Amino acid sequence: MTDVLEELQWRGLIAQTSDIDELRKALSEGPVTFYCGFDPTAASLHHGHLVAVKVMRHLQMAGHNPLVLVGGATGLIGDPRAKGERQLNTKDVVAGWAEALRGQLESLLDFEGSHAARTVNNLDWTNELSAIDFLRDLGKYFRMGTMLNKDIVRRRLESEEGLSYTEFSYQILQANDYLQLYRRYGCTLEVGGDDQWGNLVGGLDLIRKTEGESVHVLTNPLITKADGTKFGKTEGGAVWLNPDMLSPYKFYQFWLNTADEDVVRMLKVFTFLDRDRIEELETAVAERPQAREAQRVLAEEVATWVHGAEATERAKQASLVLFGKAEPAGLDERTLLDATAELPSAEARVGDAVVDVLVSLGLEKGAGAARRTIAGGGVYINNVKVEDAGRVIDAGDVLPGSLVLLRKGKKNLTAIRVL
């Protein structure tokens, strides 16, 4: 196996490290226990969290031991953000979200074998802290100048909304997480997003001051597109991993729509494909961009990792159906409804003439034009060519979800909702 740090660097997964030479030495000397924290600020992780999880998985595959920290305590506080104070959610809501995140993370890492991941919750030790303990045992190690000098803190203090002591104290709680994991599990490496650099270093300093030991931190970069803008968002918002918040079909489509200039970098960051395969796909992008082979591989790899092979296969089939390259038979109701949600639609009944439906959809100006299009082989029901101008919507045409797919030519696809 290649050096894991070299692999992470090649993939563009390292932004900053505390001391890369010392970290490389520690990783080469034997299994290192490391952790990454995930705060339950929503009911699901999103695609951005996958970057840190990928770093964890590469370290795990290299023989190191992951701790997955779910922030049941820090999620009650909220890390300061650029756009103002976070809304404080109830303890029950945060506990529910923490459990949801735990389930997602346990599906993304390996929790079996000699380097099995382990889940921890910082509520377990933070709940034990009294206000006096917090101030005496932790607060005395933090200098106000250092805390105030952190970029996000400084920006918030200069803003109109300011910064509450609640969010200001977050950095101490995160630093204590590292200290507790060091004491309880021998954890000597924390990984996380580059926007967390100040908080990660705070934990490193706390361990040095309290334990007299040197530990390590490593951050991954914010993933951006070639034009420098943030990589993410669908028309409906965040790229959630929870299938109830973003369907596997739409998740698959998000990756399938990656731009040519971005797709090779995303293959490095978000998949486990080896260098040779990624270089093959890079060549394909350069020589046959219209085939979109790299995008199809990216979408399949990431969707399979997050949603499993079966859901990904349904998403692939639905995509082929919408492009007229497969018949919809066999697709389940939810996948069909997700895939057709944004198509032009109309209502019809079993027995309605296809000619009349074409006119009502605005695909043809009149019955005569519709008959001529059918005669020319330009109309399809469920991707099967309509041969008879007298064809009606038949009960056998109705797909799960009471849908019939009606296409004129290659691009004019509509969803008929059968009453």
Side-chain angles (χ1 to χ4, degrees):
M1 181 177 293
T2 59
D3 176 271
V4 66
L5 292 183
E6 178 189 339
E7 180 73 9
L8 293 174
Q9 285 177 320
W10 177 78
R11 290 180 178 273
L13 286 170
I14 297 180
Q16 299 185 76
T17 64
S18 48
D19 185 326
I20 196 164
D21 292 330
E22 286 298 315
L23 176 56
R24 180 174 283 108
K25 180 181 177 184
L27 292 170
S28 68
E29 289 177 347
V32 166
T33 298
F34 66 95
Y35 95 97
C36 184
F38 300 86
D39 274 351
T41 55
S44 173
L45 299 172
H46 56 70
H47 77 295
H49 292 110
L50 291 176
V51 184
V53 179
K54 274 294 301 296
V55 173
M56 296 183 75
R57 185 68 180 118
H58 280 293
L59 287 167
Q60 184 179 38
M61 291 189 299
H64 305 288
N65 304 318
L67 294 171
V68 179
L69 185 143
V70 177
T74 43
L76 290 167
I77 301 300
D79 192 14
R81 59 182 182 179
K83 296 183 179 180
E85 197 83 6
R86 292 183 184 273
Q87 176 181 343
L88 295 181
N89 295 293
T90 67
K91 291 182 178 180
D92 287 344
V93 166
V94 172
W97 288 351
E99 184 63 17
L101 264 58
R102 182 195 63 76
Q104 288 182 327
L105 289 160
E106 289 183 357
S107 72
L108 297 172
L109 291 163
D110 189 353
F111 279 75
E112 298 180 354
S114 56
H115 301 288
R118 181 184 307 186
T119 304
V120 294
N121 189 327
N122 59 16
L123 190 63
D124 293 342
W125 53 82
T126 308
N127 244 354
E128 300 170 356
L129 275 177
S130 68
I132 294 297
D133 292 336
F134 177 80
L135 295 172
R136 284 177 55 88
D137 298 341
L138 294 175
K140 66 180 179 179
Y141 293 107
F142 290 82
R143 293 294 172 263
M144 289 296 296
T146 302
M147 296 177 72
L148 289 168
N149 198 44
K150 290 184 176 178
D151 181 60
I152 188 64
V153 171
R154 187 170 62 252
R155 279 187 285 149
R156 281 286 299 279
L157 288 174
E158 293 170 354
S159 68
E160 291 185 4
E161 64 269 15
L163 179 69
S164 71
Y165 180 76
T166 298
E167 288 194 356
F168 183 64
S169 66
Y170 181 97
Q171 55 190 295
I172 300 179
L173 294 179
Q174 183 169 334
N176 185 49
D177 290 343
Y178 199 173
L179 175 61
Q180 292 299 321
L181 295 178
Y182 173 83
R183 288 174 173 171
R184 296 170 186 233
Y185 301 102
C187 179
T188 56
L189 170 63
E190 181 180 3
V191 302
D194 200 43
D195 58 341
Q196 291 291 308
W197 174 258
N199 290 340
L200 272 63
V201 171
L204 178 150
D205 288 341
L206 180 60
I207 292 171
R208 177 177 54 80
K209 291 173 181 177
T210 59
E211 309 297 309
E213 296 292 339
S214 295
V215 292
H216 309 281
V217 298
L218 179 154
T219 64
N220 56 260
L222 174 69
I223 304 302
T224 58
K225 296 187 288 187
D227 61 8
T229 59
K230 188 175 181 180
F231 177 72
K233 299 291 185 184
T234 64
E235 291 184 4
V239 186
W240 300 112
L241 307 192
N242 184 332
D244 294 326
M245 296 171 69
L246 184 72
S247 71
Y249 171 79
K250 291 183 179 178
F251 186 83
Y252 177 86
Q253 288 294 316
F254 167 78
W255 300 98
L256 193 63
N257 290 330
T258 303
D260 289 344
E261 57 267 30
D262 296 319
V263 68
V264 174
R265 288 189 303 110
M266 301 313 161
L267 284 165
K268 291 179 180 179
V269 170
F270 290 102
T271 79
F272 296 96
L273 298 175
D274 62 29
R275 299 189 189 200
D276 289 343
R277 180 61 175 136
I278 290 177
E279 287 170 0
E280 287 176 5
L281 291 168
E282 185 172 16
T283 300
V285 172
E287 296 180 353
R288 304 179 302 278
Q290 69 282 358
R292 298 186 68 78
E293 180 183 357
Q295 282 87 346
R296 287 187 284 106
V297 171
L298 173 66
E300 182 170 357
E301 290 288 322
V302 182
T304 300
W305 184 34
V306 173
H307 292 301
E310 185 176 340
T312 300
E313 185 59 33
R314 288 198 299 267
K316 286 170 58 181
Q317 283 299 113
S319 184
L320 291 173
V321 166
L322 263 60
F323 282 97
K325 296 180 180 179
E327 294 183 17
L331 287 180
D332 61 286
E333 178 177 343
R334 178 174 176 182
T335 301
L336 274 167
L337 290 172
D338 288 335
T340 59
E342 297 173 10
L343 292 178
S345 65
E347 294 180 347
R349 299 178 183 277
V350 171
D352 285 355
V354 172
V355 164
D356 294 337
V357 176
L358 285 167
V359 174
S360 68
L361 279 164
L363 294 176
E364 293 292 358
K365 292 183 178 180
R371 291 190 185 93
R372 286 191 293 273
T373 301
I374 291 173
V379 177
Y380 300 79
I381 287 182
N382 297 338
N383 290 339
V384 177
K385 186 183 296 185
V386 176
E387 304 284 358
D388 180 6
R391 176 81 148 80
V392 299
I393 302 296
D394 185 82
D397 297 327
V398 183
L399 302 168
S402 299
L403 293 175
V404 174
L405 300 182
L406 180 64
R407 181 192 305 274
K408 175 191 171 184
K410 292 183 177 180
K411 296 183 179 180
N412 294 311
L413 178 63
T414 59
I416 307 303
R417 309 193 183 278
V418 179
L419 301 175

